[in-house]
Amino acid sequence: MSQSGSVWIPSSRRNQNPVENMCKRRKSKDRDGFDEQKEKDNGELEALGYAPSLKREFSNIATISFAFSIMGVCSSVATTFNTPLLSGGPSSVIWCWILGGLNCTSLASSVAEIMSAYPTCGGVYTAAALLCPRKYRTRVAWIVGWLNIFGQFIAGISSAEFGLAKMILAAVSIGTASANEITANKVVGLTTGLLVVHGLLNSLKTRQLAYFTSAFVFVNLGATFLIIIVLLATTPRSEMHPASYVFGTKGLINGTGGWNTGVSFLLGLLSVQWTMTGYDCTAHISEEVRRAASAAPAAIIIATVGTVVSGWLLNIALILCSGPFDALPGPSGSAFLEIMVLRMGKHAALALWFFVCLTAFFVCQTGLQAGSRTIYAFSRDRGLPDGGFFGQVSAGTQTPLRAVWLTTLASILPVLLDLASPAAANAIFAMTAMASDLSYIIPIFLRRVYHSHPEVRFKPGPYYMGDGWLGWVVNVNCIVWTLFVCVIFSLPTELPVTAVNMNYSAPITVGVVVLSGAWYLLAAHKHYHGPVSNLPQNVQTA
């Protein structure tokens, strides 16, 4: 010790801060762990035949938030609530949601299992090719790719953005006491503007997109539960509907004009099936996700279960507080918004409606991001007649900017149809759930049929239900359920059928398959040979 009583410190350590040193060591350890995981992720991708081109910036919370956002529970319920309510009545809203939600969970689990084995941005498109023998690979991948691209993304993004535009204009209608008429020009103009905004946002770097996306889940679930709480708090107990109306036979109100009560009840499935789609969207960003083989499927399952539960509670609260059935859907055309206005008052309802619209905004944002990655993967495999032009990554942002803007512009085209023929635009939008779900069950079916074929390489990922009875039951259930709901998707919601209320989803979906098949036979077979490796040393079919 010195005379002052201070402890002697070696000169080599006098200028060092112990806390700072500890933080540096921890940061170095974390960095080493991240680099090791990145190498593992990239190794898995290279084993599937693809060179890592995108930056892995999506953390677990960002990936889960992305998965929740693509379903957008409160906004999706808001845009589809009219169909089950007006077709089958309040009981249809409640029971079809839980019935459809439970079966959709089996589909989500089956998709998650496949995505865990094939964590690429091609999603079900790439998986379908790798799950069948080589002689079928190119044709199967081609059909699944176009079902997924056209149904999930071109029509899906257009319809989601179109719904958001109508939600915003419905709020304007309520706020101005119906002084502003909602016209086709306004809806199309606003939808186009919103698509351009989302194109600009998707032009950000992956790190910025991941940071932005991380907040989506909190707004999504926060808005949902806030609406539930405020609805219940502002509705007098004496004005709440009885259980027989919410859950029982008094709530079965056939509004189809001709279908029997059983069919009108099942039409309520259209809401939950439209909401509970996009499972594979998380897979389409898997090349930007850390620990993709486990994080992406986990996000799919967490988001699916969370959406089923929160959506059911939201529907129960809406029906319980819905007021007179004859007053719905009201001047705005949105039964969801009218119920909020009835119970909360105009100003409080519009304040909460802002967050519903914000959730829908997030749905479109994540949908466009996932869609652009699918276009990127398809172009990378020479599925587009562009020589791989849209399968390139921008040097500035390290994201597929060309694919982002191709997806944006392509999504505007169905919207423009509304100016010439609303029936034609609705026909395109109607195929979204049917085409998407069919693209999901094809690889699930192939996985079971060709599981022992020598040319099929199915190496289970971290999320694996096994080859025992559990995996088989879940897979078979989701295939049978999807085929069943496709029949429901094909039915018009009103009788008698006219050119305006006709449900064109089945003809349009069949048309996509036929036209894409004809294109392949006539020209595309010359440049498309299925998913191909882009590794410099081994450019061959994956």
Side-chain angles (χ1 to χ4, degrees):
M1 278 187 188
S2 66
Q3 292 181 353
S4 62
S6 60
V7 178
W8 178 77
I9 301 175
S11 58
S12 61
R13 295 179 57 195
R14 286 175 187 169
N15 296 324
Q16 294 183 13
N17 185 322
V19 175
E20 182 180 344
N21 290 336
M22 182 178 68
C23 291
K24 286 181 178 178
R25 288 195 298 272
R26 181 175 297 174
K27 185 175 181 181
S28 176
K29 183 178 180 181
D30 291 345
R31 185 74 248 174
D32 291 342
F34 172 74
D35 289 340
E36 182 180 347
Q37 183 59 52
K38 181 180 177 181
E39 289 180 8
K40 183 179 178 181
D41 288 334
N42 290 341
E44 291 175 348
L45 185 61
E46 289 173 353
L48 293 172
Y50 295 107
S53 302
L54 305 174
K55 299 191 71 174
R56 295 186 182 274
E57 301 286 1
F58 272 73
S59 62
N60 287 346
I61 185 62
T63 307
I64 292 171
S65 186
F66 184 96
F68 263 106
S69 298
I70 203 70
M71 298 183 194
V73 58
C74 67
S75 62
S76 295
V77 171
T79 53
T80 59
F81 187 70
N82 283 11
T83 299
L85 180 67
L86 302 180
S87 298
S91 290
S92 176
V93 174
I94 302 303
W95 291 115
C96 280
W97 182 275
I98 198 65
L99 174 64
L102 291 175
N103 282 285
C104 284
T105 301
S106 70
L107 179 56
S109 186
S110 299
V111 170
E113 182 180 48
I114 289 176
M115 294 305 99
S116 183
Y118 304 108
T120 76
C121 61
V124 292
Y125 148 70
T126 301
L130 299 178
L131 287 169
C132 65
R134 289 187 181 277
K135 65 179 179 178
Y136 305 125
R137 188 166 293 177
T138 304
R139 284 166 287 179
V140 168
W142 179 264
I143 296 298
V144 171
W146 280 110
L147 278 174
N148 198 236
I149 289 171
F150 201 90
Q152 179 67 41
F153 299 113
I154 304 303
I157 295 168
S158 295
S159 61
E161 205 80 78
F162 195 79
L164 172 58
K166 285 193 169 183
M167 289 166 65
I168 294 172
L169 292 173
V172 172
S173 176
I174 291 288
T176 57
S178 301
N180 290 298
E181 181 184 358
I182 301 176
T183 63
N185 288 340
K186 292 179 181 178
V187 175
V188 171
L190 182 56
T191 303
T192 302
L194 288 168
L195 278 166
V196 172
V197 170
H198 283 119
L200 292 171
L201 288 174
N202 271 288
S203 299
L204 298 173
K205 295 182 179 180
T206 303
R207 177 172 295 183
Q208 295 166 329
L209 286 171
Y211 181 80
F212 183 40
T213 304
S214 298
F216 291 1
V217 63
F218 302 107
V219 176
N220 193 343
L221 293 181
T224 301
F225 286 106
L226 187 58
I227 289 170
I228 293 172
I229 292 169
V230 175
L231 274 176
L232 296 176
T234 55
T235 304
R237 182 66 186 87
S238 59
E239 296 183 18
M240 290 184 179
H241 288 292
S244 59
Y245 180 84
V246 180
F247 301 102
T249 55
K250 288 186 178 179
L252 291 174
I253 301 173
N254 190 336
T256 61
W259 289 117
N260 61 43
T261 303
V263 174
S264 68
F265 172 82
L266 290 173
L267 289 174
L269 291 169
L270 296 175
S271 175
V272 62
Q273 293 295 145
W274 197 90
T275 302
M276 302 290 294
T277 191
Y279 313 109
D280 72 317
C281 287
T282 307
H284 291 301
I285 65 164
S286 60
E287 293 182 32
E288 299 164 89
V289 172
R290 302 169 194 167
R291 296 176 293 276
S294 55
I300 292 171
I301 299 302
I302 292 170
T304 300
V305 174
T307 299
V308 171
V309 174
S310 57
W312 198 44
L313 295 175
L314 177 60
N315 277 307
I316 290 173
L318 285 165
I319 295 301
L320 194 64
C321 306
S322 59
F325 182 83
D326 294 339
L328 299 174
S332 68
S334 170
F336 190 109
L337 179 55
E338 291 293 338
I339 293 169
M340 290 176 63
V341 172
L342 172 67
R343 298 308 179 189
M344 307 174 191
K346 182 169 72 173
H347 298 295
L350 291 178
L352 283 178
W353 191 250
F354 168 78
F355 292 100
V356 178
C357 292
L358 190 60
T359 302
F361 186 88
F362 294 158
V363 171
C364 300
Q365 169 68 16
T366 50
L368 184 55
Q369 182 180 349
S372 64
R373 273 52 176 178
T374 310
I375 294 290
Y376 160 77
F378 206 49
S379 175
R380 180 175 65 182
D381 291 336
R382 300 302 189 266
L384 300 178
D386 63 341
F389 178 81
F390 294 104
Q392 301 296 317
V393 174
S394 167
T397 64
Q398 295 236 294
T399 59
L401 279 185
R402 296 174 182 177
V404 167
W405 284 101
L406 175 62
T407 309
T408 301
L409 296 175
S411 298
I412 292 175
L413 297 178
V415 177
L416 297 178
L417 276 176
D418 193 62
L419 294 175
S421 172
N426 289 331
I428 299 295
F429 299 155
M431 70 164 289
T432 300
M434 179 183 289
S436 300
D437 287 355
L438 287 174
S439 73
Y440 300 155
I441 65 170
I442 291 174
I444 297 168
F445 175 79
L446 294 173
R447 150 147 164 61
R448 289 301 176 182
V449 172
Y450 295 111
H451 69 283
S452 59
H453 196 282
E455 293 180 0
V456 174
R457 302 178 302 162
F458 181 76
K459 182 183 178 181
Y463 183 83
Y464 181 51
M465 293 183 288
D467 282 325
W469 66 268
L470 176 62
W472 273 95
V473 168
V474 172
N475 289 165
V476 171
N477 177 76
C478 76
I479 292 171
V480 173
W481 174 256
T482 299
L483 294 175
F484 168 71
V485 294
C486 282
V487 175
I488 304 299
F489 289 151
S490 304
L491 300 176
T493 56
E494 296 179 18
L495 293 178
V497 179
T498 65
V500 175
N501 65 25
M502 171 63 183
N503 186 341
Y504 294 95
S505 56
I508 295 293
T509 302
V510 172
V512 169
V513 173
V514 172
L515 291 176
S516 62
W519 180 14
Y520 174 78
L521 293 173
L522 294 174
H525 70 278
K526 298 176 182 178
H527 60 79
Y528 180 70
H529 306 289
V532 294
S533 172
N534 67 347
L535 294 174
Q537 72 276 18
N538 186 27
V539 181
Q540 61 182 6
T541 302

